[in-house]
Amino acid sequence: MTAAMSTLDPGSPPTGELPFFVYGTLLPGEPNHDLFLRGRTSGERPAVLPRALLYDGPGYPYAIDGHGRVHGTLLTAAPGVYGELLGLLDHLEEYLGPGHPRNLYERLVREVELPGEGAPGTREGQGPPGTRAWVYLAAAAVTRSLRTSGSVIAEGRWVTGRPPGGPRTP
């Protein structure tokens, strides 16, 4: 168990299994959603990753730490498949372990916001309530390249130009 996982909030799943925040090809309606997530999730809800920027990539996006917001979906693994799902996503995201030099992404724990879930007594100016989740952020070498020559997606919302479940449009 990592240090990040040993300090979970009391409201976290009792097993310490964090949900996953996805923002690209794993979103509902995108190609990898059905391939990797169908039958493996028990919940999917809109979420936002604060303090992050979204960059366009070669058919998929990259999120990095920054002064923006990335829109996506918070996924909860279905009972009994957490380990399988974690392994599948690590493989898809080319994550070989913390700080591995061949990582395409790093899997990190981040606080994500859950829009539309106002908490009683929340002060004006504070963001919506949040939860801790695994997020795949671009690895260090990729991040350096993006910062020098990448293309930021201004709204922090990755779309492929097609409606969910619909055909691709030019």
Side-chain angles (χ1 to χ4, degrees):
M1 179 179 282
T2 67
M5 289 188 66
S6 64
T7 59
L8 293 175
D9 296 335
S12 297
T15 60
E17 297 176 352
L18 293 175
F20 300 88
F21 174 81
V22 299
Y23 54 85
T25 65
L26 290 164
L27 289 169
E30 294 297 330
N32 284 334
H33 184 274
D34 283 350
L35 288 172
F36 292 90
L37 302 175
R38 183 173 294 236
R40 293 185 178 101
T41 65
S42 63
E44 300 181 6
R45 56 205 269 192
V48 175
L49 177 63
R51 297 172 300 283
L53 293 171
L54 193 62
Y55 280 83
D56 203 10
Y60 47 88
Y62 294 101
I64 68 169
D65 288 325
H67 299 291
R69 298 166 61 76
V70 174
H71 297 266
T73 299
L74 186 69
L75 309 170
T76 304
V81 300
Y82 186 83
E84 174 191 4
L85 184 58
L86 184 65
L88 285 170
L89 296 180
D90 282 353
H91 179 73
L92 173 68
E93 306 296 4
E94 296 183 40
Y95 171 72
L96 302 173
H100 194 285
R102 291 193 343 241
N103 282 349
L104 185 60
Y105 292 89
E106 290 287 341
R107 178 171 34 93
L108 303 167
V109 176
R110 291 289 190 265
E111 186 83 12
V112 297
E113 297 173 352
L114 303 170
E117 293 202 5
T122 299
R123 292 190 334 236
E124 192 171 322
Q126 290 181 323
T131 191
R132 295 165 60 107
W134 287 121
V135 179
Y136 291 89
L137 297 179
V142 176
T143 296
R144 283 190 299 276
S145 175
L146 291 169
R147 287 190 191 278
T148 59
S149 61
S151 176
V152 174
I153 299 172
E155 298 297 316
R157 192 181 307 268
W158 191 75
V159 293
T160 58
R162 64 183 171 85
R168 284 194 181 271
T169 57

